[in-house]
Structures are given as C-alpha cells and as structure tokens.
Amino acid sequence: MWGGRFAEGPSAIMREINASIPFDKALWRQDIAASKAHVAMLGAQGIVSAGDATEIAAGLDKVAAEYEANGVPENWDLEDIHMTTESRLAELIGSVAGRLHTARSRNDQVATDFRLWVREACIQADAALGALQVALVTRAGEHAASIMPGFTHLQTAQPVTLGHHLMAYYEMVARDRSRFADAHTRMSQCPLGSVALAGTGFPIDREMTAKALDFTGPTRNSLDAVSDRDFALDYLMAATQCALHLSRLAEELIIWASQPFGFVSLPDSLSTGSSIMPQKKNPDAAELVRGHSGRIAGCLTSLMITMKGLPLAYSKDMQDDKPPVFEAAGLLTLCLAAMTGMVEGATFRTARMRQAAELGYATATDLADWLVRQANIPFREAHHITGNAVKLAEQKGVALDQLTIKDLQLIDPRIDERVYAALSVEASVAARASYGGTAPEQVRLRIAEARLALGLE
C-alpha cells in the first residue's frame, strides 16, 4: 500500500491501532457515490479516458452490489473503507482501477464521505422528530382541557392543562428540528477535490462533483476542507440538545408512572417486569432514554476533546471522529422511536391529575389575583393574605375553595362570596388566556397552528 517508501510493513500493534475498517465500513454507500462522482468528472475533464471512466464506474457498481449482498469485508491490512473498495475494484477490473485515485486523497475522500453520512443523519433525525411532534400534538388535542397540576421545584404551583404541558415539548422538539436544519445547511459544501490539503494541479471541475453529490458548491479552502469536522460537532450538538429534551420528558413520565403520582400508565410494549416482584411494571424504556442522553452528551465531549488541539490540516486523531457520531446517531434514533411510542401509547389518568391539582393549593395565585382585581389590593399585600389562607387550609386539611366565607373574612374582611368563582381549577386555567397560556382556548389555537405547520390540516 505504501509503495517504495517503507522497507517493511507495519507491526501488529500498528496494524491494529491504525485500522478503521471495523467502523468506517458504515460509509460504503457514500464512498461509492463519491467515487462515481469523481471518476465521472475525471472522464468529463479528459483526465482519464472516457472508456476507463466507464469501466471504473461499472466496477464500482459491482463492488456496491457485493457490499449490499454480503457486507463489507474487514481486512485490516487495507485499513479503511477507501482502500478496501479500491482493492476490490482492482481485483474486478485490473490496473485501470488505479486511475480512480487521480486528483484525490483519502483526506478529501473521508471528509466528503463523512459529510454525506452526517447530512443524511440530519435528515433522518428531522423525520423522527416530526413523528414525535405529530404524537405530541395528537395527544395534546385529546387533552386540551384536561386539568393537571403545574409544577415549579416539583412542587404544585398552578393548574395547567395536560395539552399545554405536552405542547411545551412540541416547542422543544421544534427547536431541535431547527438545529438539525441549521447543521444541514452548514454542511452543504463539498470537500472533494481538496485532495490531501493543497488542492491539485489537474484541471478538475469541483462544481461538477459538488452538484453530482447534491451539495450547493465546493468548499472554498482546501486546508479547512480536509481538517474540518464542524459538521460532525454540529450534528452532535443538535443531538445532545435533543437528547436532553427527551430525557426531561422521560423523567416526567417516570415520575408520573410511579404509584404516588399515578398520572400515567405507559404501554406494556415499552415497559418491563421484575424477576422477583410480580406486581412491578417498570418504565425501563423511559429510563433508558434518560440514560442514553448521557451517552450522547459523552459522544459530543469525546469529539470536542479530539479536535481541540489539532493543527492544520489532517491528523490521524481525526480517525476517531466517526465512532462517537455513529454511536450518538444510533442512540438518538432509538430514543426518538421509543419516546414517540410512549407518547402515542400512554394512558393518561386525568381524574387523578385533576385531583392532584385540587389538593395542592394550586389556585392560591388566583386568590391573590382576585384580591388585586376585585379589592384593589396591591399584589404584595394580596400575596401575604393568600399565604395566610393557605396556612389555614393546611391546618383544616381542606382545599382553598372549601374554606368558608367566614374563614376567609377572618383573614381579610374585603373577601366576599364572589371569590369562589375564581378558586376552582377550571376557573384558574380558563383565566390564563394570555397568548401562549394554559387556557384551553389558547391551547387549541396553538395545536391548530402546530397541525398546520406539520401538514396535518
């Protein structure tokens, strides 16, 4: 492989540490596509003969058919997918295969192949996120008026609707989709033709190869093109943020599925049992989504640390760029499928949710707001009065709206019977009708907008 420069081959240790074929064989489709684009350009430019270009392209098709049928062989002496493909091509068509490597290097090959793979991973992530959005919007539509406690510090805060809660995750997923879209846009230039680091003296047409591979154009600097892995980091950053959102939703489902909460029953198909306790139904899929978020974040950290001190242009450290991206992409795909299934199949126990909202003094803010609006009391004073009312309700073991008017007027005589209209959980959520609020009318408007954006209307 190394021609006349080396007197002897690599040691067993060097062979093992140097080989990347066990993981970069995943790039075989991209490697074949980029090679075909390259040889078509070489033929069009007269750098290789038209006959040789046609023979090489046909040979590449045969190699691709073998890979498709039997997988990519792992010969560590050939190191990587690029040499594996070129070697097999030579076995099929002879020495003419050697012309394929004219005006290119493995440096711009791998930069192109990997960029093509990551670009497709962005598209796949977007599609999976779109499916999760559909699930969230659908379930939110079923529960636009279903009342549950809203939390801060995991303490009951104010009543909200389950539909509003689910739509909060819709918004997170929308931002995730925008990050993958942004990443996809930034990786739209083609490195092929940058060669090892300095370009080439052959009269290549980089616009032609870029267009053939569906890039918007060629990269503008050959040094940057072969050493850039920003596109991989962009993907991992988007994947990590997405995984954090999935982990937050997973955590809520885990808590809600516990007996003390009892807000949800997760589908049997995404739950497990216990080897010793027959009553158990464990939210293992949700727990694994939560756990996998850490692994995905670790993949991002791994590549950042690999890239942080590399001088221009290519260094062999960059061979370690692919395993974390491949791992993160696989985990993210699995997590999105699992979370979509959980959202679609969850049974929400809305009666239990409403009961929890009533028991947690969630309408305390509504009492304070009523004092401001109806009794013209400054909010800070109203806050203090309401705190006394909550304390009394706790002492009596009743909800706020179960305090008698006499109880309330002993706290502050300006309170009258009209207050009870504001203290129900239904009145509380209905009152939050500001744009983006939890009032059912607002939730339904946001759901309608989301359905339109998703092409469901």
Side-chain angles (χ1 to χ4, degrees):
M1 177 177 174
W2 302 118
R5 173 63 179 84
F6 287 76
E8 59 184 62
S11 69
I13 293 173
M14 185 62 201
R15 177 175 172 271
E16 184 169 351
I17 197 172
N18 198 44
S20 59
I21 188 63
F23 54 84
D24 70 18
K25 64 183 180 181
L27 299 175
W28 73 262
R29 290 181 175 84
Q30 292 75 25
D31 197 62
I32 294 288
S35 292
K36 290 184 69 175
H38 182 66
V39 77
M41 180 274 297
L42 294 177
Q45 293 296 102
I47 299 170
V48 302
S49 70
D52 285 348
T54 299
E55 188 175 0
I56 290 169
L60 287 167
D61 285 337
K62 292 179 182 177
V63 175
E66 290 180 358
Y67 289 170
E68 190 71 62
N70 305 314
V72 179
E74 291 187 22
N75 182 344
W76 287 17
D77 289 329
L78 295 173
E79 294 188 6
D80 56 34
I81 184 59
H82 320 300
M83 296 308 300
T84 297
T85 297
E86 187 173 325
S87 174
R88 181 56 183 152
L89 182 65
E91 291 173 352
L92 290 172
I93 67 172
S95 62
V96 70
R99 298 189 183 281
L100 174 60
H101 210 55
T102 307
R104 78 174 184 184
S105 161
R106 286 191 298 173
N107 293 357
D108 64 339
Q109 265 190 277
V110 70
T112 302
D113 294 355
F114 195 23
R115 194 174 289 222
L116 287 167
W117 193 96
V118 175
R119 192 173 64 172
E120 180 61 30
C122 287
I123 294 170
Q124 292 172 357
D126 180 75
L129 286 164
L132 177 55
Q133 282 186 307
V134 170
L136 288 165
V137 166
T138 301
R139 301 311 305 273
E142 297 169 10
H143 296 286
S146 300
I147 294 171
M148 64 173 289
F151 299 94
T152 62
H153 309 279
L154 207 56
Q155 304 292 309
T156 299
Q158 294 175 329
V160 296
T161 65
L162 175 56
H164 190 55
H165 196 111
L166 293 172
M167 288 301 291
Y169 284 98
Y170 170 88
E171 295 296 333
M172 294 183 207
V173 174
R175 294 193 295 274
D176 291 330
R177 294 186 74 179
S178 73
R179 274 182 280 270
F180 281 111
D182 290 345
H184 186 275
T185 297
R186 278 192 295 276
M187 61 184 78
S188 64
Q189 294 177 322
C190 182
L192 194 59
S194 299
V195 200
L197 76 162
T200 181
F202 288 98
I204 62 174
D205 183 349
R206 294 192 64 206
E207 294 284 352
M208 179 179 175
T209 49
K211 183 177 181 181
L213 295 170
D214 199 28
F215 287 102
T216 58
T219 51
R220 293 184 293 270
N221 184 285
S222 59
L223 280 168
D224 176 59
V226 299
S227 62
D228 168 43
R229 292 300 183 270
D230 287 0
F231 64 91
L233 288 168
D234 278 350
Y235 174 83
L236 288 174
M237 288 176 184
T240 298
Q241 183 65 74
C242 178
L244 296 181
H245 290 154
L246 296 178
S247 183
R248 294 181 72 181
L249 179 52
E251 172 70 1
E252 295 208 297
L253 291 175
I254 292 163
I255 292 171
W256 292 359
S258 66
Q259 281 79 8
F261 271 76
F263 286 3
V264 68
S265 176
L266 296 176
D268 288 352
S269 60
L270 291 166
S271 305
T272 65
S274 165
S275 64
I276 188 172
M277 295 168 284
Q279 83 280 10
K280 295 293 293 297
K281 181 180 178 181
N282 298 325
D284 280 12
E287 291 172 354
L288 287 166
V289 168
R290 185 178 60 185
H292 288 354
S293 68
R295 291 175 62 187
I296 292 170
C299 292
L300 169 61
T301 302
S302 172
L303 185 54
M304 286 195 296
I305 299 304
T306 295
M307 297 300 300
K308 72 174 181 61
L310 298 187
L312 294 177
Y314 182 85
S315 297
K316 200 57 177 265
D317 313 45
M318 293 165 68
Q319 183 166 286
D320 285 340
D321 56 0
K322 288 168 281 297
V325 175
F326 293 164
E327 180 182 2
L331 290 172
L332 184 64
T333 298
L334 191 58
C335 288
L336 285 168
M339 187 55 69
T340 300
M342 280 184 276
V343 172
E344 289 174 340
T347 300
F348 294 105
R349 294 170 174 159
T350 53
R352 172 65 185 138
M353 288 181 169
R354 189 185 186 286
Q355 180 187 32
E358 290 177 326
L359 294 177
Y361 307 107
T363 59
T365 307
D366 298 277
L367 174 55
D369 288 348
W370 185 89
L371 290 167
V372 171
R373 286 195 302 265
Q374 301 299 327
N376 197 28
I377 298 173
F379 182 80
R380 283 297 165 207
E381 183 182 352
H383 186 283
H384 182 77
I385 294 167
T386 301
N388 286 329
V390 171
K391 185 187 298 184
L392 179 61
E394 283 182 328
Q395 291 169 352
K396 288 178 169 286
V398 298
L400 274 176
D401 61 356
Q402 292 176 322
L403 290 174
T404 67
I405 192 61
K406 182 178 179 181
D407 290 333
L408 291 169
Q409 288 180 339
L410 285 173
I411 294 170
D412 193 287
R414 290 169 288 188
I415 300 175
D416 60 44
E417 294 278 356
R418 294 176 298 166
V419 75
Y420 289 108
L423 292 183
S424 71
V425 289
E426 286 82 7
S428 177
V429 297
R432 265 65 186 182
S434 57
Y435 185 92
T438 194
E441 64 182 82
Q442 280 293 318
V443 174
R444 292 188 179 101
L445 285 172
R446 302 291 80 76
I447 290 170
E449 292 169 352
R451 289 182 64 83
L452 188 62
L454 293 170
L456 300 176
E457 299 294 348

